[in-house]
């Protein structure tokens, strides 16, 4: 069965420090991978998505970056954290599908609560 | 611009009351529609989804949703809520032409069910 692992669950980091959040998927190959940020009252904002190794698309300009060094590994990074980077970060995966065919939906990781102090 | 709107940010109701959460979207083409739920301390889970066919879809835990194309709506309902339905609920939309699987989520509705 497919599973998704995301860690760490919580993280407190000082302003200006680096960040690395990791997400791995098991039980599937060639998944589409996503990083979302969840802010209270604002829903889920798509940050990055990837359809293959080394292929990263950014949805919003920001202080963060993403990488996909392996097929089932997706990493969210920052060189220098800002206070505004605080939030709840979610990784998700979905199957590839043909254009026009139904989407099965995402499977989400358990999330990382990041507090920048 | 494409968007998803959830009408209520916060709903408080008593056990056994009926629940209806509104969701409207502003996409011009064919869409797939979803409701996700996040229970306290847990990860987001799929509640139900609509692809095509019968506009009334049933999901887990007694939830259902109705797709009304003319109103661009996909409202979530449950006839009688339980305390365990306390959670945050998210509506999500994706264009069927989107090959990258980029969902657009609503802002979420926090539902609190009191005993």
């Amino acid at each position: 069965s497919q599973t998704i692992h995301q860690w760490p669950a919580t993280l407190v980091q000082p302003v200006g420090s680096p960040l690395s959040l990791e997400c791995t998927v098991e039980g599937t190959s060639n998944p589409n991978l996503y990083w979302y940020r969840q802010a209270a009252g604002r829903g889920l904002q798509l940050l990055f998505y990837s359809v293959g190794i080394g292929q990263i698309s950014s949805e919003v300009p920001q202080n963060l970056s993403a990488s996909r060094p392996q097929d089932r590994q997706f990493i969210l990074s920052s060189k220098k954290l800002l206070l505004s980077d605080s939030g709840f970060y979610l990784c998700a995966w979905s199957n590839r599908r043909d254009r026009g065919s139904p989407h099965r939906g995402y499977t989400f990781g358990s999330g990382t609560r990041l507090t920048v102090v | 611009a494409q968007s998803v709107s959830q009408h209520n940010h916060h709903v408080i109701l008593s056990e056994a009351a009926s629940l209806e959460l509104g969701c409207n979207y502003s996409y011009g083409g064919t869409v797939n529609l979803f409701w996700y739920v996040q229970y306290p301390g847990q990860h987001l889970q799929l509640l139900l989804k609509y692809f095509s066919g019968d506009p009334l879809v049933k999901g887990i835990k007694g939830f259902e949703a109705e797709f009304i194309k003319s109103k661009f709506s996909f409202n979530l309902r449950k006839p009688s809520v339980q305390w365990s339905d306390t959670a945050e609920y998210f509506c999500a939309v994706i264009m069927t032409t989107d090959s990258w699987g980029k969902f657009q989520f609503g802002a979420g509705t926090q539902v609190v069910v009191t005993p």
Side-chain angles (χ1 to χ4, degrees), chain A residues 32 34 36 38 41-44 46 49 51 59 88 90 94 97 99-106 108-110, chain B residues 9 32 34 36 38 43-44 46 49 51 88 90 94-103 105-108:
Chain A
N32 288 345
Y34 309 87
Y36 277 84
Q38 183 179 4
R42 296 179 60 185
L44 283 78
L46 180 61
Y49 66 97
V51 299
E59 283 294 291
F88 190 59
L90 286 164
S94 70
R97 84 190 209 291
R99 189 182 173 101
S101 63
H103 199 289
R104 296 183 186 178
Y106 288 163
F108 284 92
S110 53
Chain B
H9 293 299
N32 294 160
F34 302 79
Y36 281 85
Q38 188 173 31
H43 60 273
L44 277 156
L46 182 64
K49 58 191 174 187
F51 294 150
E88 190 160 17
F90 294 91
I94 185 171
M95 296 282 288
T96 57
T97 54
D98 185 318
S99 301
W100 313 123
K102 295 187 293 179
F103 279 59
F105 285 86

Side-chain angles (χ1 to χ4, degrees), chain A residues 6 37 56 100 108:
Chain A
Q6 190 179 339
R37 178 164 54 201
I56 309 294
F108 284 92

Side-chain angles (χ1 to χ4, degrees), chain A residues 44-103:
Chain A
L44 283 78
Q45 180 187 33
L46 180 61
L47 303 177
F48 300 95
Y49 66 97
S50 171
V51 299
I53 296 174
Q55 300 179 58
I56 309 294
S57 296
S58 174
E59 283 294 291
V60 293
Q62 57 206 315
N63 186 45
L64 302 168
S65 62
S67 61
R68 185 170 177 174
Q70 299 179 44
D71 180 46
R72 289 170 287 180
Q73 184 185 28
F74 204 24
I75 298 172
L76 183 68
S77 305
S78 174
K79 292 182 179 179
K80 289 185 178 182
L81 283 169
L82 305 172
L83 286 174
S84 58
D85 292 324
S86 293
F88 190 59
Y89 291 85
L90 286 164
C91 180
W93 76 272
S94 70
N95 284 314
R96 303 285 176 86
R97 84 190 209 291
D98 294 330
R99 189 182 173 101
S101 63
H103 199 289

Side-chain angles (χ1 to χ4, degrees), chain B residues 76-95:
Chain B
L76 180 71
R77 299 194 290 251
K78 186 169 184 178
S80 176
V81 294
Q82 302 172 322
W83 175 80
S84 58
D85 293 322
T86 294
E88 190 160 17
Y89 294 81
F90 294 91
C91 181
V93 179
I94 185 171
M95 296 282 288

